[in-house]
Amino acid sequence: MSKIIDHYIFLSSPWTYLAQPRLRELAQRAGAAINFIPMDHPQVFAAAGVKNLKDRSRQHQANRMNELGRWRARLGMDLTLEPKYFPVPQDKAARLVIAAQQAGHAVDGLAFALMRACWAEERDIDDSETLAAVAGGCGLDGKALSGQIDSAAVTDAFQANTEQAIARNVFGAPT
């Protein structure tokens, strides 16, 4: 496919979760492939001067909750505004997606399933058993992929994705 959408993602982002089905539709209409690029959000935020959610003003946090509620209703998507495991580190989940990519798998379904696990099912995407189960639910060998998330190839790719995002002026997700 000659058209490619580079899609920089944080798997713990409700905005990335809400955007995923619409991006998929857009890509299909345009005849484009989506290149999922998981990245390290603390590094990207720091480089862009963006505050982490917990460090933002009370007003900003309240507006975020209002907007999430509005978008949830508008899109008709399941989304828990304050899930049990949030904030949750997303690095293991991001590296699971990278491991799946490196194994030659399409990762659209896996990425969405991981975000859905966090935002609709209130599952801990920082837990190795949860990651393996989510990958297994997507028809992948979750245990094998989970066994790769700390490999040099995967961690190096995660860092390279992050550096690429910073170089391309990404400041949040989805971008």
Side-chain angles (χ1 to χ4, degrees):
M1 200 170 277
S2 62
K3 296 178 187 176
I4 298 175
I5 300 169
D6 284 341
H7 183 41
Y8 292 90
I9 59 173
F10 302 148
L11 293 167
S12 60
S13 164
W15 303 110
T16 304
Y17 167 66
L18 290 170
Q20 189 73 19
R22 293 181 300 146
L23 177 61
R24 185 182 301 132
E25 290 172 16
L26 175 73
Q28 288 174 348
R29 283 195 314 266
I34 302 171
N35 177 30
F36 290 85
I37 307 172
M39 57 185 171
D40 183 341
H41 78 273
Q43 286 186 56
V44 170
F45 277 6
V50 176
K51 291 181 180 179
N52 286 313
L53 181 60
K54 66 180 178 54
D55 298 323
R56 295 177 191 166
S57 70
R58 179 181 49 80
Q59 296 88 341
H60 189 243
Q61 291 182 37
N63 185 63
R64 174 186 171 275
M65 294 299 276
N66 288 336
E67 285 301 306
L68 283 172
R70 288 181 186 124
W71 278 104
R72 172 184 64 186
R74 178 160 198 246
L75 298 173
M77 290 179 66
D78 293 332
L79 177 116
T80 303
L81 294 177
E82 296 185 67
K84 181 177 178 180
Y85 298 101
F86 187 80
V88 61
Q90 61 106 45
D91 292 9
K92 287 181 184 177
R95 293 193 319 263
L96 182 75
V97 170
I98 293 168
Q101 287 172 321
Q102 290 179 350
H105 300 294
V107 296
D108 184 353
L110 176 60
F112 187 72
L114 288 164
M115 289 182 282
R116 181 169 174 68
C118 177
W119 291 101
E121 300 166 0
E122 296 191 81
R123 295 168 71 188
D124 183 0
I125 63 168
D126 189 46
D127 175 72
S128 297
E129 289 182 22
T130 299
L131 294 177
V134 170
C138 294
L140 304 173
D141 185 341
K143 288 193 186 273
L145 290 175
S146 292
Q148 293 301 308
I149 66 173
D150 292 322
S151 71
V154 170
T155 58
D156 289 351
F158 186 48
Q159 185 59 37
N161 287 354
T162 302
E163 291 169 7
Q164 179 187 60
I166 292 167
R168 292 185 75 183
N169 296 316
V170 171
F171 59 88
T175 299

